[in-house]
Amino acid sequence: MYVGRFAPSPTGPLHFGSLVTAVASYCEAKSNQGRWLVRMEDLDKPREMAGAADNILQTLVAFGFQWDDDVIYQSQRTHAYQLAFEQLQNLGLIYPCNCSRKEIADSATHGIEGLVYPGTCRHGIREARTQQAWRIKTTDKLISFNDTIQGDQSQQLNRDIGDFVLKRADGLFAYQLAVVVDDASQNITHIVRGADLLNSTPRQIYLQQLLGFKQLSYAHIPLAVKANGEKLSKQNLAQPIDKANAPQQIFDALVFLGQNPPPSISQRPLIQIWDWAISNWQLSKINRSISINI
Ligand code: GLU
């Protein structure tokens, strides 16, 4: 059974980039007779915008998305993350780290996604400080996967990423841990999401392996970027999508996703657009690039 999901972070209202992700994951799940779940990734309370979670769900309803189970809220799942964290701790892979940003910057090398933590605290923290994060040890084992859209990918985590944080100094569990625990507990089989998370995937596969979870199928869709290359994100206040004109915007998302919808459907009732979108959906038509200018 195919189980897909859409996992927005409530840092702002949905924008065109997140609509594209929702449409792609929905059409891919529904055209595979699968289930489609919504998970609210509201773990990072400091970055949350008040009212955004409800606003996102209302927008999804207004656009005619139908999810197949209750919405899960990460803010209510700390216990599950704690259990997984303890499981990794029992494997001897977790250590506290109280390096400051400056200390890391002074001795780190550059990896795929910024600085590679130099492992300073692996053998014990140097001096007691109140705030400490918890990192997981990475290894030189190559982690590879075939992304359905972006093709073969591999990373050597200790060289490309470094020991990464699972629990932040402010006590919050990190996205990388939460997403792996939730995808497993919701029995997700297929992930369709934005290519900004392509580089996170080997970290997630590593955690799946250590926690004894199944590896999932991944498809990372191109990001919608502004002509100046900037990613559309809720943080840079990309225009929220307009609930009043859902058919046109689903149409635009289908165009972005390479599906060539006939122009006539852009003014049809939602039910007809979804019917067209799901019955004509082909993931293979999506452009195999990391980003597309809009
Ligand atoms: N919550 C993440 C975001 O909104 C998506 C996480 C995921 O799909 O794994 O960017």
Side-chain angles (χ1 to χ4, degrees), residues 95-108 115-121 124-135 163 165 169:
Y95 64 91
C97 167
N98 61 12
C99 290
S100 65
R101 275 172 210 271
K102 181 169 183 328
E103 284 163 343
I104 297 174
D106 285 349
S107 51
L115 298 175
V116 174
Y117 179 66
T120 322
C121 294
I125 43 181
R126 286 161 301 179
E127 61 197 70
R129 292 178 190 161
T130 44
Q131 297 273 48
Q132 59 186 28
W134 296 82
R135 292 182 183 270
D163 295 352
V165 171

Side-chain angles (χ1 to χ4, degrees), residues 268-286:
R268 300 257 177 84
L270 279 174
I271 188 156
Q272 287 180 26
I273 298 197
W274 283 123
D275 187 44
W276 186 92
I278 292 163
S279 42
N280 291 281
W281 177 255
Q282 279 181 279
L283 192 76
S284 59
K285 286 185 166 176
I286 297 176

Side-chain angles (χ1 to χ4, degrees), residues 15-16 223-233 235-239 256 291-294:
H15 54 78
F16 183 70
L223 297 177
V225 292
K226 296 199 233 164
N228 62 6
E230 206 183 326
K231 180 194 158 196
L232 291 186
S233 72
Q235 288 74 45
N236 67 22
L237 298 178
Q239 283 278 88
F256 181 90
S291 63
I292 298 177
N293 287 349
I294 56 164

